[in-house]
Amino acid sequence: PHRGNVRVSNTEAQAEAAAADHVIARMERVPMTPAHKRLVGMLGMSMLLDAYNVYIIGPVAALITSFAVSDKTFAFILSASYFGQMVGALVLGWLSEKYGRKPGFILSLGSFGLLSIVCAFAQNADQLIWARVFQGIGIGALPPLAGAMLSEILPRKDRGKWAGLFQTLYTVGIIISPALGWFALHALNLDNDHAWRFLFLFGGLSLPLAIWFYFVIPESPRWLASHGRAAEAEAIVSRLEASATRAGMALEPPVTQVHVEPKKTNLLEMFTPEYRMRTALVWMQSFTAFFVVNAFTSYLPKLYVTVGGLNVGYALLLTSVFGFIELGVRIVMALTWDKTGRLPWFIGGYFAAVIGCFATWAAFDIFHYTSWIILATFGVLGTVGCNISVGGVYVYHPELFPTRMRSWATSTGRAVRSFASVVAPAIIAQIVAAKLGWGPVFLMFGIVALTGLIVMMWLGIETKQTTLEKISH
């Protein structure tokens, strides 16, 4: 038997396994407490700033006047962050299995806040590209780490609801980025050059937030218990139990539902027969959903201007309206999918995306009707549909794997998502440069969404109201 990379005796291993089982049993009998809700809020705030720093590049591209940004240069700027995200997800995802969820989470949050400030002072496109590469390292690591931390501490009956609400704050970050651009132009009366720099400075709020969170956010009790640190885990669970007692909640006796055999973390275990189909599901859902959403959302403000004929201010405002629609869908999903299940939402979302993307392609290339109205209806339907998966992956993916590789497996999905987000703008840039128009782009989006629909119907696993240990073992 092993504890991490350290060999231990059979007696020690049995004692640690029993202690870990007891920690999990105590956690699962605690209902949703004020302490849980505070953690949801804090981790959700980090997701808001992560999304803001991802999608701010769309408004920035529409605002930059201090140096030239061609369609090809914009594709490089957009891809730069996603390349960094791919690296960050893999590196910090691996480290989080060895050293804990919390250190990687704090490092990622603080680093992308610092690099956002660096972006604000870029003097040319090359400087902005490199700053976004390094900023992307922290941006890419944070969501899977936050998702793993939250899934490992929430009670099973409410995990979908509260983890889903945590994910809705990611959507708020998407809304804020264009809305703050409009605010900088029309309320603060900044010129375009100062407006985009202001947007990056706002993203720097992640840095002081990381310092605060270092002192108030606990480590994952499940991770601690699985690494022979049951006493530390029990101290955290005791605080949750005390929060429940203060709120007048009754605590039932702890009952071990599933006995977990201690196993050494093996990063290749996700490719074994037991888990490889789940890995394929995670990777395909990540690729297909984010291929459509990240590319379309990043290009949307510019599309409203160049294809739809709107001015920059209205383009940013309309992009925010799209974000509110997405937010409403995610809230309804979070409040219902502990009853309906995860799969009906994912499958329905992909189906809507297929309709929206193919309808936009038909409007552009068959009926030759291009306007902001098409983009705001059928185009947005396509992305709202895929956004259901985007809004659920950091709830769903951590549920599919055991604690010993939960963060790592979820992080590989983030890396695949980042790869999709690098590839999509590059392909779009080639299509646009070839003067084929935007119709083929939406045809491509439709085919990708259809692939996601087929994979989800084939490989999807329902996880509602089930303990993590029962799902993943």
Side-chain angles (χ1 to χ4, degrees), residues 182-221:
W182 181 90
F183 178 81
L185 288 174
H186 298 282
L188 299 181
N189 293 316
L190 297 177
D191 59 36
N192 282 26
D193 187 49
H194 287 91
W196 74 262
R197 296 181 189 278
F198 167 78
L199 295 180
F200 275 125
L201 288 174
F202 183 86
L205 290 175
S206 304
L207 181 57
L209 200 66
I211 296 172
W212 176 44
F213 284 175
Y214 175 81
F215 295 100
V216 296
I217 285 183
E219 181 57 90
S220 160

Side-chain angles (χ1 to χ4, degrees), residues 236-365:
I236 296 170
V237 176
S238 293
R239 292 200 292 271
L240 294 176
E241 292 170 335
S243 180
T245 301
R246 287 192 300 269
M249 301 174 180
L251 294 178
E252 299 177 356
V255 177
T256 300
Q257 296 188 4
V258 178
H259 174 66
V260 180
E261 291 292 337
K263 292 183 180 180
K264 179 182 178 181
T265 295
N266 178 359
L267 300 185
L268 297 180
E269 187 181 0
M270 59 188 294
F271 303 110
T272 60
E274 185 176 1
Y275 293 107
R276 63 190 177 197
M277 299 307 287
R278 298 185 183 200
T279 300
L281 171 64
V282 165
W283 287 11
M284 289 303 298
Q285 187 179 21
S286 297
F287 184 90
T288 55
F290 285 95
F291 185 98
V292 176
V293 170
N294 282 357
F296 182 74
T297 305
S298 297
Y299 273 99
L300 187 55
K302 204 167 185 178
L303 278 175
Y304 278 140
V305 174
T306 59
V307 176
L310 294 176
N311 64 42
V312 173
Y314 282 117
L316 295 176
L317 197 58
L318 198 55
T319 305
S320 290
V321 171
F322 151 65
F324 280 108
I325 295 171
E326 177 193 333
L327 178 61
V329 171
R330 288 195 183 184
I331 289 174
V332 173
M333 178 176 74
L335 295 177
T336 60
W337 73 339
D338 273 330
K339 295 181 179 179
T340 64
R342 308 334 185 208
L343 295 186
W345 275 97
F346 291 147
I347 291 170
Y350 274 121
F351 186 74
V354 170
I355 293 173
C357 292
F358 282 131
T360 307
W361 162 70
F364 280 17
D365 276 8

Side-chain angles (χ1 to χ4, degrees), residues 32 37 40-41 43-45 47-48 150 154 158-172 327-338 391-392 395:
M32 196 71 192
K37 294 174 183 178
V40 169
L43 294 180
M45 184 59 65
M47 291 289 281
L48 184 155
L150 199 59
L154 291 177
D158 295 307
R159 188 174 63 240
K161 173 184 175 180
W162 288 99
L165 290 174
F166 141 86
Q167 274 279 85
T168 63
L169 287 175
Y170 192 89
T171 309
V172 175
L327 178 61
V329 171
R330 288 195 183 184
I331 289 174
V332 173
M333 178 176 74
L335 295 177
T336 60
W337 73 339
D338 273 330
V395 180

